[in-house]
Amino acid sequence: MRIILAHKFWELTGGADVFFRETERVLREAGHTTQLVATGTPAADDPENLMLMQAPKYDQGGALNKARHLPAAIYDKAKREKFRALIREFRPDIVHIFAINVHLSLSIIDAAEAEGIPIVATFNDYKHLCPNYKLYDGKDICFACKGGKFYHAALKSCCKGSRALSAASTIEAYVHSAKKLYQKIDHFTFSSDFLAQTTQEFWPDRDLSWSKLLNPFDSAKYEATKAHQPYGLYFGRIIGEKGVDCIVSAADKIDGFPIKIIGNGPDEDMLRAQAAERGLKNIEFLGPMWGDALDEVLSQAGFVIVPSTWHENFPYVINQAFAFGRPVVGSNRGGITELVDHGERGLIFEPKDPDALPKAIQHLAENPDEMLRMGRNAKEYSDALFNDATSLKNLLKAYEGGKNAFAHHRG
């Protein structure tokens, strides 16, 4: 099979970029012919099957420069034509898009449609429903834009707290809606049932063709052999919707049980100051860590805490925790509950209940045998589900779904 895979970034900036690259690797190693499309700066070690395009400079310079580049950030006609030429040259069986908004452009959907190629889309956030990606207005879960009422994003300034960015994102959502770009996608893949159900709730009149596709991840290569040390661990961005403040608030209710926090972000200094002011000796901020350094701390943790306050669909940190046989204490949000399965691979708590997280931490701290059982369950679940064979099977299922939906609606 010949597949074009398109994503906004070639540079690795987060889990979505890893997903894109690993999906291509799984397909290529299985003998399929792939073509990568992304934005970025060319480098000597770029793969031969990579086409790089230039992202619009909408966030640089003054107001005049931003306004000049805004149309391309919303719908880039030049990228549409360049992508259409690539399709004619490469002759794919499937176009598989990932996160392509702004930097790459949803205009490439029109290119694929014009050339009669089935389109499969992998979405792991809510950009197709919500101008700020998260269904979260900075304070709480928000469904205000449901029904195409995207103006709420501008009214709430919920896109990174910026009025200008929120206004631009609102315009973007209305343009994409008017052009019916999402309706031209034949098949969707989602990383959680929650994301699929929410999409169907927002689009009640659409016959949605979808399947589940989880991150390609080789869980078996990680060993769950190290002893569980008496500490809980958070690792990731330290930003409002990640709920790290819930951990700091819980720290004086867990009888001194140690919690390590790895990462950085806009809320780090504030939370460090709060911990110091309250004299919390059991909270340790370790700063950002990657690779072997992170694995060393993670592989010895008693459990991992994922306290997100927004509807996260598939936090990559849960992948990593389970691969090392560590159970997860996760919030009742998005796809977290599906992965953890309360009582099986960890515990689920209500993030709005100030006593729920400390109770969950205390429970595992005081019941090490139960913690070990959940960790074993997590490792078995992870190894069975996260491997190349399963990823390839689910990819091919999605492509078949794309072809069938294409034949039904456009063929």
Side-chain angles (χ1 to χ4, degrees):
M1 191 179 296
R2 299 176 67 83
I3 308 111
I4 294 179
L5 300 99
H7 179 58
K8 62 168 63 178
F9 297 130
W10 178 243
E11 180 186 2
L12 292 177
T13 65
D17 314 316
V18 175
F19 198 160
F20 168 60
R21 289 200 189 192
E22 283 294 285
T23 298
E24 188 274 339
R25 178 191 62 78
V26 167
L27 290 165
R28 174 170 36 83
E29 291 182 356
H32 299 281
T33 304
T34 59
Q35 171 68 53
L36 293 157
V37 179
T39 67
T41 303
D45 60 349
D46 284 344
E48 293 182 359
N49 65 333
L50 172 65
M51 172 188 279
L52 287 176
M53 298 188 188
Q54 185 176 2
K57 300 176 181 178
Y58 73 98
D59 58 347
Q60 300 177 16
L64 186 59
N65 182 73
K66 292 177 179 177
R68 185 166 64 249
H69 288 282
L70 181 61
I74 293 175
Y75 187 90
D76 195 320
K77 295 180 180 178
K79 286 193 178 76
R80 179 191 65 197
E81 295 310 308
K82 191 173 183 179
F83 195 80
R84 189 170 184 180
L86 173 66
I87 290 174
R88 289 172 175 171
E89 178 184 350
F90 185 76
R91 300 175 65 85
D93 299 297
I94 290 285
V95 167
H96 186 169
I97 62 173
F98 292 74
I100 59 173
N101 292 74
V102 181
H103 300 78
L104 190 54
S105 179
L106 260 66
S107 65
I108 69 173
I109 292 175
D110 276 340
E113 185 199 36
E115 293 300 317
I117 307 299
I119 304 166
V120 171
T122 289
F123 291 158
N124 292 318
D125 58 35
Y126 304 94
K127 183 61 175 177
H128 56 299
L129 309 176
C130 167
N132 80 354
Y133 295 83
K134 296 176 180 178
L135 297 178
Y136 185 85
D137 64 8
K139 297 178 181 179
D140 204 351
I141 300 298
C142 175
F143 279 28
C145 290
K146 186 177 178 181
K149 300 175 182 178
F150 304 121
Y151 60 85
H152 284 288
L155 294 177
K156 292 190 172 193
S157 297
C158 61
C159 300
K160 298 182 180 180
S162 165
R163 289 184 179 180
L165 181 58
S166 299
S169 297
T170 298
I171 294 170
E172 175 193 32
Y174 277 116
V175 170
H176 292 170
S177 178
K179 288 182 173 292
K180 299 182 178 179
L181 292 174
Y182 293 115
Q183 295 180 34
K184 298 172 184 178
I185 295 169
D186 298 295
H187 184 84
F188 295 83
T189 79
F190 301 121
S191 55
S192 71
D193 293 334
F194 180 88
L195 179 51
Q197 291 162 4
T198 302
T199 300
Q200 192 68 78
E201 182 181 337
F202 271 65
W203 296 343
D205 298 328
R206 177 161 184 179
D207 182 15
L208 196 66
S209 174
W210 76 278
S211 58
K212 187 178 283 189
L213 183 65
L214 304 180
N215 302 26
F217 182 78
D218 187 6
S219 175
K221 76 176 184 180
Y222 297 91
E223 295 185 356
T225 56
K226 293 189 178 180
H228 289 239
Q229 300 299 318
Y231 62 83
L233 174 67
Y234 170 88
F235 62 104
R237 287 275 287 164
I238 303 179
I239 191 169
E241 63 267 23
K242 290 291 187 178
V244 188
D245 58 314
C246 297
I247 298 176
V248 175
S249 297
D252 59 2
K253 302 177 182 178
I254 53 178
D255 294 337
F257 185 80
I259 302 293
K260 298 179 186 292
I261 296 176
I262 292 176
N264 57 8
D267 288 356
E268 180 183 2
D269 291 342
M270 177 188 70
L271 294 178
R272 281 180 179 267
Q274 287 182 9
E277 288 170 7
R278 293 168 57 188
L280 299 174
K281 303 297 185 184
N282 58 328
I283 291 278
E284 184 179 8
F285 288 87
L286 300 178
M289 287 185 179
W290 308 98
D292 292 342
L294 171 60
D295 288 350
E296 182 66 19
V297 181
L298 171 57
S299 64
Q300 299 181 69
F303 51 87
V304 169
I305 306 170
V306 183
S308 301
T309 54
W310 74 290
H311 282 309
E312 260 194 285
N313 287 293
F314 197 92
Y316 191 63
V317 297
I318 296 182
N319 265 124
Q320 294 168 281
F322 284 1
F324 279 112
R326 269 48 197 173
V328 166
V329 175
S331 59
N332 187 16
R333 289 288 184 267
I336 296 173
T337 56
E338 299 169 34
L339 288 166
V340 173
D341 192 6
H342 183 72
E344 288 298 311
R345 297 178 288 274
L347 299 174
I348 293 296
F349 72 94
E350 290 295 336
K352 286 191 174 184
D353 180 350
D355 295 322
L357 177 56
K359 284 181 180 178
I361 292 173
Q362 279 286 91
H363 182 81
L364 291 187
E366 295 172 357
N367 295 276
D369 288 344
E370 189 170 352
M371 180 176 66
L372 291 171
R373 175 186 63 80
M374 292 178 183
R376 287 192 297 269
N377 290 347
K379 178 61 173 170
E380 291 174 4
Y381 170 85
S382 182
D383 285 358
L385 198 59
F386 298 102
N387 54 71
D388 285 359
T390 301
S391 294
L392 180 62
K393 176 183 176 181
N394 290 334
L395 277 166
L396 297 181
K397 177 182 177 182
Y399 295 163
E400 190 64 26
K403 290 179 179 180
N404 290 339
F406 174 87
H408 181 66
H409 294 116
R410 294 198 280 153

